[in-house]
Amino acid sequence: MKITTAEVIVTCPGRNYVTLKITTDEGLTGLGDATLNGRELAVASYLRDHVCPLLIGRDPQRIEDMWQYLYRGAYWRRGPVTMTAISAVDVALWDIKGKAAGLPLYQLLGGASREAVTLYAHADGRDVPELLDRVAELVEDGFQAIRVQVAVPGLDKTYGVSGGPPGTFYEPADGRIPAEQRWETGAYLDFAPTMFEAVRERYGFDLHLLHDVHNRLTPVEAARLGRSLESFRLWWMEDPTPAEDQAAFGLIRQHTVTPIAVGEVFNSIWDCRDLITNRLIDYIRTSVTHAGGITHLRRIFDLAHLYGVRSGSHGAGDLSPVSLGAALHVDLAIPNFGIQEYMGHAPGWDDVFHASYWREGGYMHPGEDPGIGVTLDEEAAGRFPYDPKSLPVCRLRDGTMHDW
Ligand code: EZ4
Ligand code: CO
């Protein structure tokens, strides 16, 4: 079998997605998600200008060799743009392998280790009563694990809060130039326990609660937050500090038993290694789209398994339905699955993408279609042209640049 074409499709059904489509001389096609939110065209160019020409004529069945060829074969390697491109190639080749075998991808990964994939959904509120209403809707819908985010009183915009109904929080909403948000750590640290207190008071401890700090704290502030939330028994506290400084997690760990999840911006096993082997985190958030595709993500999850760390893949709406489909196959198959983030996609996504995956309450399944089970209607994709958007930036009250 040989690869005959490799095309990059950029489309915006509600938000921007970059999809790689690989076609073989036997007429099989495979899709891979290449979306890097706010930097979409950089990956599209890396693929079109530097990777696609290398693929033509190569054997799509040699997935591991292709991965090594694109990773080790590039002198300038790693980084989000390169690794998102490699991920897309890898996922597209697994899609083709599944179709060639006539099997859903999870069967090629060793078969199902569970009946379905447990999800966590997002609830947010402009205030605590609004959060409680959103949580109620999600509980009604069958979710047993919910991420909660509430606007911090006194801040005009808080990460993760849209005020819309469940599933409508889509970062970002702004144009080419990033919106500027202000941040006040003291107000957040004082306020955070009150939202969990309110949810626990209403729902008790049956519901799993998660929270994304989104890199806003210093290590000792994160330690204080984790400690102040211990009695609410979170499933996890996500990205408490920016993860470039990995030794910082040792400090957080010394002070709190609130579980920690990190890694949605990680691109390779090298980014994860120290946090995992030093047992500084409980969940690894790497995704199929940004951490080297199925081939490399499995390698990361296997390392994590050795150290009792479970998966908790990033699944925001800026990862495409192709990404979600691929993630569900991995989630179903691996021994150390933890939880899968589920945000859904903007209304109208299914005009362009068609997916075999299905959801029932708080569970999903990738479906039984051969390969990944997600297809793209190119004619429909053409009706939704690229719409440049940027993620926000964040400053402290005095104007100092901070982490968004
Ligand atoms: O900010 O996917 O846990 N989820 C997140 C997301 C990220 C976006 C960035 O593109 O942190 O909301
Ligand atoms: Co996050």
Side-chain angles (χ1 to χ4, degrees):
M1 211 190 298
K2 280 189 177 2
I3 295 173
T4 48
T5 62
E7 301 153 83
V8 178
I9 299 145
V10 183
T11 181
C12 186
R15 67 179 314 148
N16 294 311
Y17 297 116
V18 179
T19 308
L20 176 69
K21 179 183 172 190
I22 294 179
T23 307
T24 74
D25 57 353
E26 296 185 11
L28 294 173
T29 60
L31 297 183
D33 179 30
T35 310
L36 187 59
N37 194 12
R39 294 290 185 269
E40 296 86 3
L41 300 186
V43 184
S45 162
Y46 189 88
L47 281 167
R48 282 182 181 135
D49 298 330
H50 304 289
V51 174
C52 291
L54 309 180
L55 304 181
I56 309 305
R58 295 178 64 85
D59 182 353
Q61 297 168 111
R62 297 179 59 188
I63 299 177
E64 181 66 47
D65 182 66
M66 182 74 86
W67 198 96
Q68 301 296 337
Y69 178 66
L70 295 175
Y71 181 85
R72 309 186 88 148
Y75 181 67
W76 306 108
R77 62 196 187 193
R78 303 167 63 192
V81 174
T82 307
M83 294 305 289
T84 302
I86 293 178
S87 301
V89 175
D90 185 80
V91 172
L93 296 189
W94 277 106
D95 195 18
I96 289 169
K97 197 175 281 295
K99 288 176 183 173
L103 292 171
L105 177 67
Y106 75 84
Q107 294 291 6
L108 302 185
L109 302 179
S113 290
R114 52 197 56 77
E115 289 159 29
V117 171
T118 303
L119 309 171
Y120 75 89
H122 287 205
D124 63 86
R126 284 164 292 189
D127 52 27
V128 169
E130 187 171 71
L131 171 76
L132 292 174
D133 290 347
R134 301 292 175 241
V135 171
E137 289 170 48
L138 292 169
V139 168
E140 180 66 25
D141 199 5
F143 288 99
Q144 297 153 46
I146 301 178
R147 183 185 101 154
V148 299
Q149 311 284 140
V150 173
V152 177
L155 298 186
D156 57 354
K157 181 81 178 76
T158 303
Y159 163 79
V161 177
S162 71
T168 59
F169 157 58
Y170 299 113
E171 297 279 1
D174 304 296
R176 239 181 230 283
I177 305 301
E180 302 220 352
Q181 299 175 356
R182 294 281 163 149
W183 177 253
E184 172 59 47
T185 297
Y188 168 71
L189 288 177
D190 289 343
F191 174 69
T194 60
M195 63 178 150
F196 292 99
E197 197 175 7
V199 181
R200 285 297 183 218
E201 205 172 295
R202 173 104 155 244
Y203 291 96
F205 284 83
D206 286 344
L207 200 57
H208 298 304
L209 300 181
L210 302 82
H211 179 64
D212 194 345
V213 182
H214 223 267
N215 310 305
R216 297 294 156 72
L217 303 178
T218 66
V220 78
E221 289 163 353
R224 177 180 149 200
L225 177 69
R227 191 181 274 187
S228 73
L229 300 180
E230 271 171 15
S231 61
F232 306 117
R233 289 182 240 148
L234 268 60
W235 178 282
W236 77 38
M237 161 174 87
E238 177 180 337
D239 289 334
T241 62
E244 288 97 332
D245 178 8
Q246 303 205 338
F249 288 81
L251 189 152
I252 302 170
R253 269 292 205 234
Q254 280 165 22
H255 293 287
T256 180
V257 293
T258 294
I260 299 171
V262 171
E264 67 185 44
V265 302
F266 288 177
N267 312 124
S268 82
I269 200 166
W270 306 104
D271 296 333
C272 310
R273 183 183 59 176
D274 291 353
L275 289 179
I276 290 172
T277 60
N278 293 319
R279 302 176 193 275
L280 296 177
I281 57 174
D282 302 280
Y283 295 90
I284 182 72
R285 295 262 302 145
T286 39
S287 73
V288 83
T289 297
H290 299 133
I294 289 154
T295 299
H296 198 67
L297 193 62
R298 276 212 298 171
R299 210 151 269 157
I300 293 170
F301 289 164
D302 277 343
L303 176 70
H305 187 41
L306 286 178
Y307 293 89
V309 173
R310 292 193 287 161
S311 75
S313 277
H314 189 209
D318 50 87
L319 284 83
S320 92
V322 177
S323 177
L324 179 58
L328 292 170
H329 287 280
V330 176
D331 294 339
L332 197 65
I334 61 171
N336 55 329
F337 169 72
I339 202 160
Q340 171 66 49
E341 183 177 20
Y342 175 76
M343 227 170 116
H345 293 96
W349 70 272
D350 48 358
D351 291 345
V352 171
F353 295 95
H354 300 145
S356 65
Y357 57 66
W358 50 267
R359 179 172 76 84
E360 199 180 298
Y363 295 99
M364 275 185 102
H365 192 282
E368 302 296 339
D369 284 8
I372 308 271
V374 180
T375 58
L376 180 146
D377 177 339
E378 286 180 65
E379 194 269 321
R383 293 201 302 269
F384 301 96
Y386 180 64
D387 181 14
K389 293 219 188 289
S390 185
L391 285 167
V393 297
C394 187
R395 292 184 187 274
L396 301 180
R397 279 214 170 126
D398 69 358
T400 305
M401 276 301 295
H402 197 60
D403 301 274
W404 178 75

